[in-house]
Amino acid sequence: MNLIDLKMKKILLYLTIIIATCSACGDFLEQEPGTQTSVDEVFSSYEGYQSALNGCYYMLNSQLTSDENAVYADVLGGNLTFTPSTSSHNFKIPESITNIYSFADNADDSEMESVYDNLYDIINSANIIIERLPELKDATTDQVSQMNAEALCIRAISHFYLLRLFAQNHSYTSDASHSGIIYNTRVQIAGEDYPARKTVQESYELIIKDLQDALSYFKSETILEGPEYSYFTSTVCEALLARVALYAEDYDLAITSAGNIILNSGISLMTKEEYVTEWKKPDTPVSEIIFELSARINDDGEYISSIILSGFFGYNNETDYSDYCVSSDLLNMFENDDVRYSNMFIEADLETAIENSTATEDLTYYFTNKFQDNPGNPILRISEMYLIRAEAYARLDEPENALTDLNTLRQERGATLALITDDLVEEIFLERRKELCFEGHLFFDIARFHKDVERNSGCIATTCDLNYPSNYFILPIPKENTELNSNLEQNEGYY
């Protein structure tokens, strides 16, 4: 669903983001244009602003748990492979990622076109709220300030996801002067606004500015109903800032922001004894969670399956399981006593077709326990803050501090402690792969660390490996957008 039809010269904006206020989604979409709620009507009251903000969260969750986005970093990086079909028992790459998986996406018919368009739609929605806030009369000053902060964070995280997907990593050039993304800080009207891409350095600076501005606006006001971890707060904002700063190679800022979360958030690492049971809690996030986009429930009290991660990683029985399973490449990295290995993978024997034969055999596959009973989408956890600070210290050649943070995490996972003589940057990369698996990090980490993609176990792509650097570490800008906007430069290697 697009908020703005980019093919139109002028647009009459209807704030379709209010469809996201739970069960009324379908009804709103089915209304005739003349009966839809206009922008002016939506922003005539505080309740309208709340609906608009809630809609932004809904769209963000829907986008980050879409077919393409939910598995992108792990399937391209090699943490995930595929299960046999329950009917034919053959392997089949899901249609939504057929080209992406083989590093063969194309601008004409990009499998990530909806991702590109929808993230900019979310940004435009956030900008509508930000621009309209001065008109909000039936709210307190603190409520206005809090809403502004949350909308800025939504704008920032959406740009961040775009930057990771469609622009090379920060250190691809020595000064990050290569092409970044279009950064929208106001509502874009097709036919009038044809901006060019910022550099990667400029793009990161703008994301950081939005997050730092948001930090200055946060109040204690509660704008929307629901658990605090489901919405942007000052804690969530600063945790996201720590991640962005790491990607931007602003290591001092990463250390400061991650450190503030570690020291002041009140959130602690799960212990060895808690780890497995925490991930297996039904419907409730792990105790480490800083920010989780909660699953939505329909009128019947059932989870909307299209926006929960168990749809991609779930296992019920030998005839009811998801398309993705854990690769041996990842499994073989764990030590036997690591709690992330013992009891965190579901072992299942599945009927599998024998190549060049009509016969089948039972082969063993593994599914992660991370998302079986908790349908929420974990975006930020405290463990990542330790890894962010450890990496930043290591990059700044402060090995003792890096080692302290790395081993604090390893100790609570039952893993062998690292030594000062180890290559700490490499150790941190490997620790990130194990700790943050299936949470959307690996492929981007491979690019940041200037590593090659090496997918050995279970790879059925036409191209399994990818040497760094390569044009294909990023995606093409969908052709429809470059044709509309003559200032929008296509990524190198795509036409």
Side-chain angles (χ1 to χ4, degrees):
M1 176 188 64
N2 291 335
L3 292 177
I4 295 182
D5 183 353
L6 293 177
K7 296 178 181 179
M8 297 171 62
K9 289 186 177 181
K10 289 285 184 179
I11 298 172
L12 176 60
L13 286 173
Y14 293 104
L15 195 63
T16 55
I17 55 178
I18 67 169
I19 68 167
T21 55
C22 304
S23 61
C25 298
D27 293 341
F28 186 90
L29 280 174
E30 292 165 5
Q31 289 178 15
E32 294 298 320
T35 66
Q36 289 177 321
T37 305
S38 72
V39 171
D40 288 338
E41 290 176 279
V42 170
F43 290 116
S44 63
S45 67
Y46 178 57
E47 288 75 15
Y49 281 81
Q50 288 176 299
S51 294
L53 184 63
N54 194 37
C56 285
Y57 280 109
Y58 181 90
M59 289 192 297
L60 183 64
N61 192 18
S62 298
Q63 189 51 54
L64 299 189
T65 51
S66 66
D67 287 359
E68 306 86 352
N69 248 337
V71 298
Y72 180 86
D74 286 281
V75 78
L76 264 67
N79 279 347
L80 290 172
T81 186
F82 306 103
T83 56
S85 164
T86 55
S87 54
S88 70
H89 311 298
N90 289 303
F91 296 111
K92 181 182 178 182
I93 303 170
E95 186 176 345
S96 59
I97 65 162
T98 301
N99 292 332
I100 294 169
Y101 178 55
S102 294
F103 304 108
D105 199 30
N106 63 84
D108 281 330
D109 188 25
S110 173
E111 291 171 348
M112 297 293 274
E113 181 174 0
S114 63
V115 174
Y116 187 89
D117 291 343
N118 290 341
L119 283 171
Y120 274 114
D121 289 344
I122 295 167
I123 290 165
N124 217 59
S125 301
N127 282 335
I128 294 170
I129 295 171
I130 293 167
E131 290 187 9
R132 288 276 185 151
L133 275 174
E135 303 170 14
L136 180 54
K137 305 303 181 186
D138 61 334
T140 67
T141 302
D142 282 358
Q143 287 172 330
V144 171
S145 185
Q146 175 72 19
M147 190 170 291
N148 193 27
E150 293 187 47
L152 283 169
C153 288
I154 290 169
R155 184 169 82 182
I157 196 173
S158 300
H159 279 114
F160 177 63
Y161 274 85
L162 283 163
L163 189 55
R164 293 197 305 176
L165 290 167
F166 296 97
Q168 297 280 3
N169 70 91
H170 189 271
S171 58
Y172 184 75
T173 56
S174 60
D175 58 356
S177 60
H178 51 290
S179 292
I181 55 172
I182 291 174
Y183 204 96
N184 287 343
T185 57
R186 62 188 181 90
V187 176
Q188 298 294 311
I189 306 287
E192 295 181 3
D193 299 301
Y194 291 109
R197 298 169 69 173
K198 303 290 187 182
T199 67
V200 165
Q201 178 62 29
E202 291 169 334
S203 300
Y204 274 112
E205 287 173 354
L206 287 165
I207 296 171
I208 289 171
K209 182 181 185 304
D210 270 350
L211 293 173
Q212 290 177 329
D213 286 349
L215 284 172
S216 70
Y217 287 119
F218 274 107
K219 304 295 180 183
S220 59
E221 290 288 336
T222 300
I223 299 298
L224 301 173
E225 295 182 359
E228 189 175 65
Y229 58 74
S230 295
Y231 304 106
F232 278 104
T233 62
S234 58
T235 298
V236 174
C237 181
E238 186 151 31
L240 179 58
L241 179 59
R243 180 190 290 179
V244 172
L246 185 72
Y247 273 72
E249 300 181 289
D250 188 341
Y251 299 126
D252 289 327
L253 179 58
I255 289 168
T256 299
S257 297
N260 284 341
I261 301 302
I262 291 168
L263 294 173
N264 302 317
S265 67
I267 302 171
S268 302
L269 287 172
M270 294 180 282
T271 66
K272 294 190 293 290
E273 294 74 24
E274 296 170 334
Y275 189 83
V276 175
T277 55
E278 279 290 323
W279 279 111
K280 289 186 176 182
K281 290 187 306 185
D283 307 337
T284 308
V286 294
S287 61
E288 282 190 3
I289 207 68
I290 299 171
F291 184 40
E292 177 176 285
L293 290 169
S294 300
R296 299 286 172 147
I297 298 175
N298 63 24
D299 287 340
D300 297 323
E302 299 170 336
Y303 288 108
I304 302 173
S305 60
S306 61
I307 53 172
I308 57 175
L309 292 182
S310 57
F312 302 101
F313 302 104
Y315 174 83
N316 293 317
N317 55 57
E318 65 275 7
T319 60
D320 182 12
Y321 51 83
S322 59
D323 291 332
Y324 300 93
C325 60
V326 183
S327 75
S328 296
D329 291 345
L330 174 62
L331 284 171
N332 293 337
M333 295 179 63
F334 290 97
E335 301 170 274
N336 288 336
D337 292 335
D338 192 322
V339 295
R340 295 168 297 190
Y341 179 73
S342 56
N343 296 317
M344 275 305 293
F345 296 106
I346 301 169
E347 182 177 329
D349 292 333
L350 305 179
E351 187 175 359
T352 307
I354 300 173
E355 190 174 0
N356 300 321
S357 170
T358 58
T360 63
E361 61 180 331
D362 284 348
L363 296 179
T364 302
Y365 298 83
Y366 295 86
F367 298 82
T368 178
N369 250 320
K370 276 190 172 180
F371 310 113
Q372 299 299 321
D373 299 307
N374 173 20
N377 183 2
I379 305 298
L380 292 159
R381 292 194 288 123
I382 195 69
S383 57
E384 185 188 350
M385 298 300 108
Y386 281 90
L387 290 167
I388 286 172
R389 194 168 67 172
E391 182 183 338
Y393 277 134
R395 301 281 189 185
L396 293 176
D397 196 23
E398 297 184 36
E400 292 85 1
N401 289 330
L403 192 68
T404 297
D405 280 337
L406 177 60
N407 281 339
T408 297
L409 177 62
R410 283 192 173 184
Q411 185 170 2
E412 295 299 351
R413 301 299 182 254
T416 301
L417 301 185
L419 302 173
I420 199 70
T421 54
D422 292 334
D423 180 348
L424 289 183
V425 171
E426 175 66 12
E427 290 294 320
I428 291 163
F429 170 82
L430 296 174
E431 200 65 31
R432 285 180 63 89
R433 182 169 184 177
K434 290 181 287 186
E435 177 65 23
L436 303 175
C437 59
F438 321 123
E439 296 178 53
H441 295 270
L442 178 58
F443 185 62
F444 304 116
D445 282 349
I446 290 172
R448 287 196 307 109
F449 282 75
H450 295 192
K451 288 180 169 291
D452 301 333
V453 174
E454 297 177 353
R455 298 181 294 186
N456 301 309
S457 169
C459 181
I460 57 175
T462 56
T463 301
C464 285
D465 301 332
L466 186 67
N467 293 331
Y468 184 92
S470 169
N471 294 331
Y472 306 111
F473 268 90
I474 58 173
L475 296 160
I477 306 296
K479 190 173 183 179
E480 181 179 279
N481 292 274
T482 56
E483 287 181 340
L484 178 70
N485 181 357
S486 59
N487 294 320
L488 180 55
E489 172 193 1
Q490 182 58 270
N491 281 326
E492 189 174 351
Y494 297 103
Y495 304 96

